[in-house]
Amino acid sequence: GFDGAAGEPLPEAPVVHMGNSELIELLTPHTDGRALLDAAAAKVVAHVTPAAHASELLRALRDADIPCAVATNDEDRSTREQLGALGWLGSEHEPALISAVRCCDSGHGAKPEPGMVLSAAAALGAAPSRVAMVGDSAADLVAGRRAGFAAVILVGPEASVGRHEGLADVWIRDLGRLLQPPAE
């Protein structure tokens, strides 16, 4: 489902929680699912914008030698195109902000199963007990919890993610909160 007024998928829509192979299977009786997802991915790359404070947070983490990974139920090709468009994969002039990318087609399964996020942690050289998962969906939080991560952080406004609060250790409204010192 899609909320036309808000211009975003409904929180429980399959597009939020399924891997692309599952979406293609769901769509195929009605249309060419592969072609539809490819067309959508091309549109996303053309209009990709970072979440508020995301680039600033990733730079701060990189500068503190804290590696970051992306683990998404999207496909590798479109994910790398989006990250590249944002400049997060680095260039000859700028070090990468993202050290590892794991997707639904990376061979580790899709979230909420933990394989993808455990593979991302391993690629960073981090034990699960030293990893924080930051996500905006139930699938993200459940995957981080199943992986045994040290913290599972929900990010997003109440209208979009508030119903997932019980799955998280911490709920922040935007990534800028992670740039602030901890409250005492």
Side-chain angles (χ1 to χ4, degrees), residues 52-119:
H53 307 287
S55 295
E56 182 182 2
L57 175 62
L58 289 169
R59 274 191 218 87
L61 291 168
R62 181 199 59 203
D63 294 348
D65 292 323
I66 300 171
C68 293
V70 168
T72 177
N73 281 347
D74 288 333
E75 293 176 334
D76 189 76
R77 180 183 49 84
S78 61
T79 297
R80 289 181 186 278
E81 287 174 357
Q82 291 173 54
L83 296 173
L86 292 169
W88 292 359
L89 295 179
S91 69
E92 63 182 79
H93 305 292
E94 181 74 20
L97 300 177
I98 301 295
S99 302
V101 177
R102 294 296 183 271
C103 301
C104 66
D105 57 349
S106 297
H108 305 284
K111 296 176 290 183
E113 296 307 317
M116 177 194 308
V117 298
L118 285 168
S119 175

Side-chain angles (χ1 to χ4, degrees), residues 136-156:
D136 62 359
S137 73
D140 293 336
L141 304 174
V142 171
R145 186 75 64 216
R146 288 178 178 171
F149 287 173
V152 178
I153 302 168
L154 175 64
V155 63

